[in-house]
Amino acid sequence: MKPRLTVLTLAVDDLERAVRFYRDGLGLPTQGVIGTEFEHGAVAFFDLQHGVKLALWPRSSLAHDTGLPLGAPSSTECSLGHNVASKQDVDAVMSQARQAGARIVKPSGDTFWGGYAGYFADPDGHLWEVVWNPQFDLAD
């Protein structure tokens, strides 16, 4: 298999609320909810970096599509990492997320490995780590 990640799908309880959080609160570009003409088809896509999209899909629709039973969500199953260019950028993104309605899980601060990071949870409990890693050159 050639590794190629192009879509990250987050299952959400309230699609409109999740769209508002990511679009209005975090400023991610989207065309909004599409696919409403299909049963279990409503979804929203957000452009991330070149060739990568974030999809928000109702939790019940993902369960239906996979044939798996709808289970209880768990914030500790996965986290998404958002790498930024500086400690100040970590603090700025964490502040933006809090103002958008995110729950700050772990305030930003120095890490044991020499970086700087914090965690927030979106309205559905999905964890995002905002991190500055001195080993990554992310200057624009």
Side-chain angles (χ1 to χ4, degrees), residues 17-97:
R17 178 189 68 186
V19 167
R20 284 191 306 273
F21 175 79
Y22 283 97
R23 180 192 61 212
D24 304 338
L26 297 185
L28 299 183
T30 183
Q31 294 180 3
V33 177
I34 61 170
T36 57
E37 68 272 23
F38 305 107
E39 184 179 9
H40 302 289
V43 64
F45 292 101
F46 297 81
D47 294 321
L48 301 179
Q49 64 201 50
H50 178 71
V52 179
K53 294 197 181 286
L54 173 68
L56 302 178
W57 203 18
R59 194 176 307 280
S60 59
S61 296
L62 184 58
H64 174 81
D65 195 52
T66 62
L68 294 171
L70 187 60
S74 172
S75 293
T76 58
E77 295 296 318
C78 176
S79 73
L80 302 171
H82 177 56
N83 287 280
V84 296
S86 69
K87 291 182 178 184
Q88 295 79 14
D89 289 347
V90 171
D91 291 337
V93 171
M94 292 291 288
S95 177
Q96 181 182 13

Side-chain angles (χ1 to χ4, degrees), residues 86-125:
S86 69
K87 291 182 178 184
Q88 295 79 14
D89 289 347
V90 171
D91 291 337
V93 171
M94 292 291 288
S95 177
Q96 181 182 13
R98 183 180 61 256
Q99 290 173 6
R103 179 174 53 91
I104 302 303
V105 174
K106 182 178 182 181
S108 51
D110 293 323
T111 66
F112 69 91
W113 47 267
Y116 189 81
Y119 283 94
F120 70 83
D122 75 5
D124 288 280

